[in-house]
Amino acid sequence: MTAELLDPLLDASFKGYPRTQAPRALSAVGAAGWNVLAGDLPLPLALIRREALTHNLAWMQRYVQSQGIDLAPHGKTTMSPQLFARQIDAGAWGITFANVAQLAIGVAAGVRRCLIANQVMQDEDLAGIQQMLVAHEGLRVVFLVDSTAQLALIGAWAAAQADARPFEVMLEIGLDGGRTGCRTQEEAIALARALGASPAVRLVGIECYEGLWATGDSAADAALATALMDRVQAVARLCADENLFDTDEVLCSAGGSAVFDLVAGRLRPALGRPVRGLLRSGCYVTHDHGFYTRMVGQVNARIGCDCAEDGLRPAMEVWAAVQSCPEPRLAILTAGRRDVSFDITMPIPFARAVRGVQAPTGVPASWKITALNDQHAYLRWDESDDALAPVVGERVGLGISHPCTTFDKWRWMPVVDEAYNVVDAITTAF
C-alpha cells in the first residue's frame, strides 16, 4: 500500500493531466518534458513551486529547532503522501490528522508517529486504531479527550474487547465559544483524574488550539495565546504533581498556522520530567498569497524576520485561461469553486502569460476576482487599466488564500521549477 500511495499511476482521469498523454507513474512525471506555460497541460491547473516548497520545509524546521520543540504538521492541509514524506524527511517528529480515516492514509503511506487533533469515541474508529496498532510495529497514535462522556464510551468499547491496548490520549484545553476542549481548569483536572484511573487509556499529554482566534492584531493575539497557554501549563503541572501522566515523556501540543510563534515558546513547561513540545502548523508547507501571507507577516515582525524572502513563501498557484471577454472590464477565466479556495478570500491574480510566451509577467493592481461559479472566475479591473486588459486565450496565475481548501479540489498537482517546467508531482487522498 505504501508504494501505491507514494508512486501511483496517473492518467487523464486526474483533472489537469494531459488527455493526449499516456498514463505514467508519478515518479516518471518529471521526465515527461512538460512545461505549464507552453500549453503541455490543460487549464485550470493547480501547481506547486519547487523552490518555495523546499524553502518552507526548511524554514519551519529551523524555527521549531530554535524553540527547542518539534513539528507534527497537520496532514489535513495537504492529505498528500508525498508531502508527508518530505515533511518527515525534513525533520518532522510525526504528522497530525483530523480523524481516523485520514490517519489510515498516513499510516498506509508510512507515517509512524501520529496525532489525531480531535476526539475519537466511535466504536469503528476505536477498533480501526487498534487494528492499525497491531498491524504496524512501532506505530504510535495519540488522540484527544475532552470529557468524561467521551471517556465512558472509550471505556465501554475497551471493556468489551478481549485484548485491547490502552489508547494514548492527550487532554484538550478549550476556549469559550470555540470548538472542543475543557472550558475550565476544574473540569480539566477532574477529567485528568478520570483518565489517570481508567484502564482504557494512558494520559500522555496536554493539547490546545489557538489558531481559530487569530485576528492579526498582535496585542490581542498575544494576550489570548498567553492566557490559553497559562491554563495549559497550569493543568500540566497539576497532572504532573498528582502523577496522572502515564508516560516517560509528556507531550504538549498547540499551533495553528496563523500565530504559531505565540505558543511555540510555551510548549515545554517545567514538569520535573521530560516534555516534548509539538507544534502542529500545517499550512506553512505551501503558505499562500492571501490570509496566511497577512497573518504570517505579523509573525515575521514579532520574530524579527523582516524580509519577505526570509519568511514563508507562497508555493501553490492555480493557473487558468481567459475564455471570454463578454463586456467592458470583465474577463471570464476557466477556474471556479471546483478548482480554487474561496472560503476566506477570493483568488488573487498575480501573473499573466499570453499565448506563445512562457515567461509570466505581473498584472495591474486593479485586477480582482469578484465572483466564482463552479467552473468560472469573474476578473474585473479599473477603467484606467483598459490598455492592459486580458485577451481571450491568455493565461492568468491565481494566488490562493487558505491552502487546505485548494488541496482538496485536486487529486494531483505538478511540481514546477522557476521556469514552470514540470519536475515532479504530488497526489492527494481526501
Side-chain angles (χ1 to χ4, degrees), residues 7 39 48 55 71 90 119 135 143 161 174 214 233 240 257 259 298 303 310 317 319 367 370 417 420:
D7 193 19
I48 295 175
H55 169 86
L71 188 62
Q119 281 64 38
F143 62 83
Q161 313 305 311
Q233 292 195 344
S257 298
V259 291
Q298 297 299 313
I303 67 176
D310 291 336
E317 302 169 2
W319 280 79
W367 280 25
T370 59
D417 65 14
Y420 288 88

Side-chain angles (χ1 to χ4, degrees), residues 193 212 294:
R193 289 168 177 156
L212 189 66
R294 179 172 67 88

Side-chain angles (χ1 to χ4, degrees), residues 61-367:
Q61 201 60 45
R62 287 194 303 271
Y63 177 75
V64 295
Q65 289 171 351
S66 75
Q67 300 297 304
I69 60 176
D70 284 289
L71 188 62
H74 217 316
K76 73 175 177 63
T77 297
T78 70
M79 281 309 295
S80 171
Q82 296 80 23
L83 292 178
F84 296 163
R86 289 200 60 164
Q87 288 171 307
I88 291 171
D89 288 346
W93 176 87
I95 302 291
T96 298
F97 301 99
N99 52 48
V100 176
Q102 292 181 1
L103 168 72
I105 295 295
V107 171
V111 180
R112 289 297 175 264
R113 294 193 188 111
C114 309
L115 301 185
I116 299 178
N118 215 340
Q119 281 64 38
V120 178
M121 82 292 294
Q122 297 183 75
D123 290 355
E124 172 63 21
D125 286 340
L126 296 168
I129 291 175
Q130 290 283 327
Q131 185 179 63
M132 284 181 262
L133 291 172
V134 170
H136 301 281
E137 185 177 356
L139 174 64
R140 187 174 188 189
V141 178
V142 182
F143 62 83
L144 308 186
V145 177
D146 73 346
S147 69
T148 54
Q150 179 194 357
L151 177 59
L153 293 173
I154 297 168
W157 180 88
Q161 313 305 311
D163 54 358
R165 305 180 184 185
F167 293 100
E168 289 191 274
V169 300
M170 300 176 75
L171 188 154
E172 183 174 25
I173 304 298
L175 290 165
D176 288 344
R179 297 190 300 214
T180 52
C182 296
R183 298 309 203 244
T184 67
Q185 183 165 313
E186 293 74 22
E187 178 186 358
I189 291 301
L191 175 58
R193 289 168 177 156
L195 293 169
S198 171
V201 300
R202 292 174 47 221
L203 179 60
V204 301
I206 305 289
E207 183 272 355
C208 70
Y209 172 59
E210 80 298 334
L212 189 66
W213 303 90
T215 65
D217 179 323
S218 283
D221 291 342
L224 183 135
T226 296
L228 178 60
M229 295 310 298
D230 284 348
R231 291 179 55 208
V232 167
Q233 292 195 344
V235 172
R237 284 191 292 270
L238 283 167
C239 289
D241 290 345
E242 294 190 23
N243 291 315
L244 300 177
F245 290 120
D246 186 7
T247 180
D248 294 331
E249 177 185 72
V250 175
L251 304 180
C252 185
S253 180
S257 298
V259 291
F260 54 85
D261 63 307
L262 297 178
V263 298
R266 303 289 304 276
L267 293 178
R268 294 187 63 194
L271 302 180
R273 65 182 71 194
V275 177
R276 184 179 298 273
L278 294 175
L279 195 71
R280 301 194 308 277
S281 307
C283 293
Y284 78 92
V285 68
T286 59
H287 198 46
D288 70 10
H289 290 77
F291 176 74
Y292 285 113
T293 286
R294 179 172 67 88
M295 298 301 294
V296 177
Q298 297 299 313
V299 174
N300 291 341
R302 289 192 293 265
I303 67 176
C305 181
D306 297 326
C307 175
E309 286 299 305
D310 291 336
L312 296 173
R313 302 173 187 170
M316 184 191 293
E317 302 169 2
V318 177
W319 280 79
V322 178
Q323 72 178 77
S324 179
C325 296
E327 61 188 63
R329 289 178 288 285
L330 172 63
I332 303 299
L333 310 185
T334 60
R337 293 170 182 248
R338 302 292 178 89
D339 310 303
V340 64
S341 54
F342 57 91
D343 53 308
I344 296 181
T345 69
M346 286 291 170
I348 303 151
F350 73 93
R352 65 193 300 181
V354 299
R355 284 177 62 89
V357 174
Q358 295 184 27
T361 58
V363 303
S366 71
W367 280 25

